[in-house]
Amino acid sequence: MSAPVQLTDVRKVYGTGPGAVTALGGVTHGFAEGSFTAVMGPSGSGKSTLLHCAAGLDSPSSGSVHLAGQSLAGLDETALTELRREHVAFVFQSFNLMPALTVRQNVVLPLTLAGKAPDEAWVSSVIARVGLAERVGHRPSELSGGQQQRVAIARALAGRAAITFADEPTGALDTVTALEVLALLRDQSRALGQTIVMVTHDPVAASYADRVVFLVDGHLVSESDHPTAESVAAELAHLSLSSATT
């Protein structure tokens, strides 16, 4: 069985001529079903570009991407939107909440748009787990930045999507809430077989993943199974030093 997220020789180049910048230099990697993978590397290593190409939010310059068993090559925006709506959830640094909707309405919005009835008990459980049980009737303007990020995380988890892409999902959260959210993501992966791809700069966040893959200058250079915060921090320091001296 092919991986739910598969990149094969993916290159992404911005610009042309002497000023062209290679963000991804031929990445091949599969993210297995039920896996929780952290993507890490020095600043400018191509982490977010990899995530955007894997999710069909950006097109590679060459190579192929398969998402939920479907090749993204040649799909128009409507087809991409339908594919993501059916199989994918997102947690990005921009919260993308609807200002006129309450917390609960924002959380179930993707399900509503897909014509699916939410599992009310599960939705309530997710909202409680991210610490917003007392805020379900509030609108985004009545919430702090960290609370808005928690709404975005709950929204991603509520639909039990097969694949979740997360870009620095705990960056705006306090330590206690961040650890609770990371545990929730890990539980989702293990209990429901959900594939989670998380870009993060935080070794503690990465330690909740099953595997960490490290990027440098658009290339996958190493991987680590069963990561700890200490082992991840040491590898990042090594890669940053190596990158600075080459």
Side-chain angles (χ1 to χ4, degrees), residues 121-196:
W122 173 245
V123 170
S124 295
S125 172
V126 167
I127 291 173
R129 288 285 295 274
V130 299
L132 292 173
E134 305 302 318
R135 299 273 185 167
V136 290
H138 288 65
R139 290 179 170 78
S141 62
E142 301 171 299
L143 304 175
S144 68
Q147 289 168 334
Q148 291 182 54
Q149 178 70 303
R150 286 185 253 170
V151 177
I153 291 166
R155 180 181 57 196
L157 296 174
R160 296 188 175 104
I163 304 161
T164 292
F165 293 103
D167 192 353
E168 301 285 3
T170 59
L173 304 181
D174 63 85
T175 300
V176 173
T177 303
L179 297 182
E180 180 72 10
V181 163
L182 290 163
L184 187 55
L185 288 170
R186 182 180 60 193
D187 293 347
Q188 282 277 100
S189 175
R190 293 177 178 175
L192 302 177
Q194 187 179 62
T195 302
I196 299 174

Side-chain angles (χ1 to χ4, degrees), residues 12-44:
K12 181 63 179 181
V13 180
Y14 294 100
T16 58
V21 175
T22 300
L24 295 176
V27 171
T28 295
H29 191 78
F31 297 90
E33 182 177 355
S35 64
F36 182 7
T37 306
V39 180
M40 305 193 79
S43 178

Side-chain angles (χ1 to χ4, degrees), residues 188-207:
Q188 282 277 100
S189 175
R190 293 177 178 175
L192 302 177
Q194 187 179 62
T195 302
I196 299 174
V197 182
M198 176 181 70
V199 167
T200 182
H201 71 282
D202 182 1
V204 174
S207 72

Side-chain angles (χ1 to χ4, degrees), residues 29-151:
H29 191 78
F31 297 90
E33 182 177 355
S35 64
F36 182 7
T37 306
V39 180
M40 305 193 79
S43 178
S45 60
K47 302 184 295 295
S48 291
T49 301
L50 183 150
L51 187 147
H52 289 170
C53 287
L57 298 173
D58 200 355
S59 299
S61 302
S62 63
S64 64
V65 178
H66 284 73
L67 183 62
Q70 169 98 36
S71 172
L72 301 188
L75 294 185
D76 61 22
E77 193 54 45
T78 298
L80 282 169
T81 298
E82 291 175 352
L83 178 65
R84 290 191 293 257
R85 182 180 296 168
E86 185 66 26
H87 299 287
V88 179
F90 296 99
V91 185
F92 289 141
Q93 294 177 65
S94 56
F95 314 129
N96 296 324
L97 303 180
M98 299 298 290
L101 301 183
T102 66
V103 165
R104 191 178 194 90
Q105 289 168 338
N106 268 289
V107 168
V108 302
L109 182 59
L111 292 168
T112 302
L113 293 174
K116 298 178 180 179
D119 179 335
E120 296 295 346
W122 173 245
V123 170
S124 295
S125 172
V126 167
I127 291 173
R129 288 285 295 274
V130 299
L132 292 173
E134 305 302 318
R135 299 273 185 167
V136 290
H138 288 65
R139 290 179 170 78
S141 62
E142 301 171 299
L143 304 175
S144 68
Q147 289 168 334
Q148 291 182 54
Q149 178 70 303
R150 286 185 253 170
V151 177

Side-chain angles (χ1 to χ4, degrees), residues 173-245:
L173 304 181
D174 63 85
T175 300
V176 173
T177 303
L179 297 182
E180 180 72 10
V181 163
L182 290 163
L184 187 55
L185 288 170
R186 182 180 60 193
D187 293 347
Q188 282 277 100
S189 175
R190 293 177 178 175
L192 302 177
Q194 187 179 62
T195 302
I196 299 174
V197 182
M198 176 181 70
V199 167
T200 182
H201 71 282
D202 182 1
V204 174
S207 72
Y208 278 75
D210 306 315
R211 168 177 288 189
V212 181
V213 296
F214 296 92
L215 276 171
V216 174
D217 295 332
H219 296 274
L220 284 177
V221 295
S222 63
E223 301 181 18
S224 174
D225 292 325
H226 313 297
T228 65
E230 292 77 15
S231 68
V232 171
E235 180 67 7
L236 279 176
H238 169 72
L239 293 176
S240 295
L241 180 61
S242 298
S243 178
T245 57

